[in-house]
PDB file of all heavy atoms in Angstrom:
ATOM      1  N   ILE A 150      29.644  41.159  69.235  1.00  0.00           N
ATOM      2  CA  ILE A 150      29.270  40.394  70.425  1.00  0.00           C
ATOM      3  C   ILE A 150      28.290  39.280  70.105  1.00  0.00           C
ATOM      4  O   ILE A 150      27.923  38.494  70.995  1.00  0.00           O
ATOM      5  CB  ILE A 150      28.664  41.338  71.478  1.00  0.00           C
ATOM      6  CG1 ILE A 150      27.414  42.033  70.902  1.00  0.00           C
ATOM      7  CG2 ILE A 150      29.702  42.363  71.966  1.00  0.00           C
ATOM      8  CD1 ILE A 150      26.688  42.901  71.908  1.00  0.00           C
ATOM      9  N   GLY A 151      27.857  39.192  68.853  1.00  0.00           N
ATOM     10  CA  GLY A 151      26.934  38.141  68.458  1.00  0.00           C
ATOM     11  C   GLY A 151      26.608  38.227  66.967  1.00  0.00           C
ATOM     12  O   GLY A 151      27.060  39.141  66.260  1.00  0.00           O
ATOM     13  N   LEU A 152      25.806  37.262  66.514  1.00  0.00           N
ATOM     14  CA  LEU A 152      25.408  37.195  65.111  1.00  0.00           C
ATOM     15  C   LEU A 152      23.902  36.936  65.032  1.00  0.00           C
ATOM     16  O   LEU A 152      23.343  36.242  65.901  1.00  0.00           O
ATOM     17  CB  LEU A 152      26.156  36.088  64.369  1.00  0.00           C
ATOM     18  CG  LEU A 152      27.692  36.148  64.385  1.00  0.00           C
ATOM     19  CD1 LEU A 152      28.247  34.892  63.736  1.00  0.00           C
ATOM     20  CD2 LEU A 152      28.181  37.393  63.653  1.00  0.00           C
ATOM     21  N   VAL A 153      23.262  37.466  63.971  1.00  0.00           N
ATOM     22  CA  VAL A 153      21.844  37.225  63.708  1.00  0.00           C
ATOM     23  C   VAL A 153      21.712  36.600  62.333  1.00  0.00           C
ATOM     24  O   VAL A 153      22.247  37.136  61.347  1.00  0.00           O
ATOM     25  CB  VAL A 153      21.030  38.529  63.778  1.00  0.00           C
ATOM     26  CG1 VAL A 153      19.566  38.232  63.410  1.00  0.00           C
ATOM     27  CG2 VAL A 153      21.101  39.137  65.157  1.00  0.00           C
ATOM     28  N   SER A 154      21.009  35.455  62.243  1.00  0.00           N
ATOM     29  CA  SER A 154      20.738  34.787  60.963  1.00  0.00           C
ATOM     30  C   SER A 154      19.231  34.681  60.785  1.00  0.00           C
ATOM     31  O   SER A 154      18.536  34.145  61.660  1.00  0.00           O
ATOM     32  CB  SER A 154      21.374  33.402  60.920  1.00  0.00           C
ATOM     33  OG  SER A 154      21.061  32.759  59.698  1.00  0.00           O
ATOM     34  N   VAL A 155      18.742  35.246  59.661  1.00  0.00           N
ATOM     35  CA  VAL A 155      17.323  35.194  59.315  1.00  0.00           C
ATOM     36  C   VAL A 155      17.202  34.438  57.992  1.00  0.00           C
ATOM     37  O   VAL A 155      17.954  34.719  57.042  1.00  0.00           O
ATOM     38  CB  VAL A 155      16.728  36.606  59.200  1.00  0.00           C
ATOM     39  CG1 VAL A 155      15.251  36.527  58.823  1.00  0.00           C
ATOM     40  CG2 VAL A 155      16.912  37.379  60.504  1.00  0.00           C
ATOM     41  N   GLY A 156      16.266  33.494  57.913  1.00  0.00           N
ATOM     42  CA  GLY A 156      16.163  32.696  56.686  1.00  0.00           C
ATOM     43  C   GLY A 156      14.741  32.390  56.260  1.00  0.00           C
ATOM     44  O   GLY A 156      13.815  32.400  57.077  1.00  0.00           O
ATOM     45  N   ILE A 157      14.595  32.120  54.960  1.00  0.00           N
ATOM     46  CA  ILE A 157      13.334  31.652  54.369  1.00  0.00           C
ATOM     47  C   ILE A 157      13.670  30.377  53.614  1.00  0.00           C
ATOM     48  O   ILE A 157      14.568  30.362  52.748  1.00  0.00           O
ATOM     49  CB  ILE A 157      12.718  32.693  53.421  1.00  0.00           C
ATOM     50  CG1 ILE A 157      12.388  33.986  54.183  1.00  0.00           C
ATOM     51  CG2 ILE A 157      11.463  32.144  52.776  1.00  0.00           C
ATOM     52  CD1 ILE A 157      11.855  35.095  53.288  1.00  0.00           C
ATOM     53  N   THR A 158      12.961  29.308  53.896  1.00  0.00           N
ATOM     54  CA  THR A 158      13.271  28.035  53.244  1.00  0.00           C
ATOM     55  C   THR A 158      12.888  28.073  51.763  1.00  0.00           C
ATOM     56  O   THR A 158      11.987  28.826  51.347  1.00  0.00           O
ATOM     57  CB  THR A 158      12.529  26.876  53.922  1.00  0.00           C
ATOM     58  OG1 THR A 158      11.126  27.101  53.799  1.00  0.00           O
ATOM     59  CG2 THR A 158      12.910  26.779  55.396  1.00  0.00           C
ATOM     60  N   THR A 159      13.592  27.218  51.005  1.00  0.00           N
ATOM     61  CA  THR A 159      13.308  27.113  49.571  1.00  0.00           C
ATOM     62  C   THR A 159      11.892  26.610  49.339  1.00  0.00           C
ATOM     63  O   THR A 159      11.227  26.995  48.370  1.00  0.00           O
ATOM     64  CB  THR A 159      14.328  26.176  48.910  1.00  0.00           C
ATOM     65  OG1 THR A 159      15.646  26.667  49.157  1.00  0.00           O
ATOM     66  CG2 THR A 159      14.101  26.090  47.413  1.00  0.00           C
ATOM     67  N   ARG A 160      11.387  25.768  50.221  1.00  0.00           N
ATOM     68  CA  ARG A 160      10.020  25.267  50.084  1.00  0.00           C
ATOM     69  C   ARG A 160       9.017  26.409  50.163  1.00  0.00           C
ATOM     70  O   ARG A 160       8.031  26.440  49.424  1.00  0.00           O
ATOM     71  CB  ARG A 160       9.719  24.220  51.172  1.00  0.00           C
ATOM     72  CG  ARG A 160      10.487  22.923  51.036  1.00  0.00           C
ATOM     73  CD  ARG A 160       9.911  21.868  51.977  1.00  0.00           C
ATOM     74  NE  ARG A 160       9.948  22.320  53.373  1.00  0.00           N
ATOM     75  CZ  ARG A 160      10.986  22.167  54.199  1.00  0.00           C
ATOM     76  NH1 ARG A 160      12.098  21.560  53.741  1.00  0.00           N
ATOM     77  NH2 ARG A 160      10.934  22.595  55.439  1.00  0.00           N
ATOM     78  N   ALA A 161       9.270  27.342  51.043  1.00  0.00           N
ATOM     79  CA  ALA A 161       8.356  28.480  51.162  1.00  0.00           C
ATOM     80  C   ALA A 161       8.386  29.350  49.915  1.00  0.00           C
ATOM     81  O   ALA A 161       7.349  29.854  49.449  1.00  0.00           O
ATOM     82  CB  ALA A 161       8.724  29.307  52.397  1.00  0.00           C
ATOM     83  N   ILE A 162       9.585  29.529  49.370  1.00  0.00           N
ATOM     84  CA  ILE A 162       9.703  30.311  48.126  1.00  0.00           C
ATOM     85  C   ILE A 162       8.959  29.619  46.998  1.00  0.00           C
ATOM     86  O   ILE A 162       8.237  30.262  46.215  1.00  0.00           O
ATOM     87  CB  ILE A 162      11.185  30.524  47.768  1.00  0.00           C
ATOM     88  CG1 ILE A 162      11.885  31.352  48.854  1.00  0.00           C
ATOM     89  CG2 ILE A 162      11.324  31.203  46.404  1.00  0.00           C
ATOM     90  CD1 ILE A 162      13.382  31.494  48.637  1.00  0.00           C
ATOM     91  N   ASN A 163       9.109  28.306  46.887  1.00  0.00           N
ATOM     92  CA  ASN A 163       8.440  27.555  45.828  1.00  0.00           C
ATOM     93  C   ASN A 163       6.924  27.590  45.987  1.00  0.00           C
ATOM     94  O   ASN A 163       6.190  27.610  44.988  1.00  0.00           O
ATOM     95  CB  ASN A 163       8.927  26.105  45.827  1.00  0.00           C
ATOM     96  CG  ASN A 163      10.377  25.997  45.356  1.00  0.00           C
ATOM     97  OD1 ASN A 163      10.876  26.893  44.670  1.00  0.00           O
ATOM     98  ND2 ASN A 163      11.052  24.921  45.745  1.00  0.00           N
ATOM     99  N   ARG A 164       6.434  27.593  47.245  1.00  0.00           N
ATOM    100  CA  ARG A 164       4.991  27.671  47.452  1.00  0.00           C
ATOM    101  C   ARG A 164       4.429  28.994  46.930  1.00  0.00           C
ATOM    102  O   ARG A 164       3.371  29.043  46.315  1.00  0.00           O
ATOM    103  CB  ARG A 164       4.663  27.502  48.935  1.00  0.00           C
ATOM    104  CG  ARG A 164       4.739  26.063  49.439  1.00  0.00           C
ATOM    105  CD  ARG A 164       4.031  25.921  50.776  1.00  0.00           C
ATOM    106  NE  ARG A 164       4.634  26.775  51.804  1.00  0.00           N
ATOM    107  CZ  ARG A 164       5.631  26.403  52.596  1.00  0.00           C
ATOM    108  NH1 ARG A 164       6.137  25.169  52.480  1.00  0.00           N
ATOM    109  NH2 ARG A 164       6.102  27.220  53.514  1.00  0.00           N
TER     110      ARG A 164
END
Side-chain angles (χ1 to χ4, degrees):
I150 60 175
L152 303 174
V153 177
S154 178
V155 179
I157 299 176
T158 62
T159 303
R160 292 192 302 273
I162 297 175
N163 290 338
R164 283 196 300 271

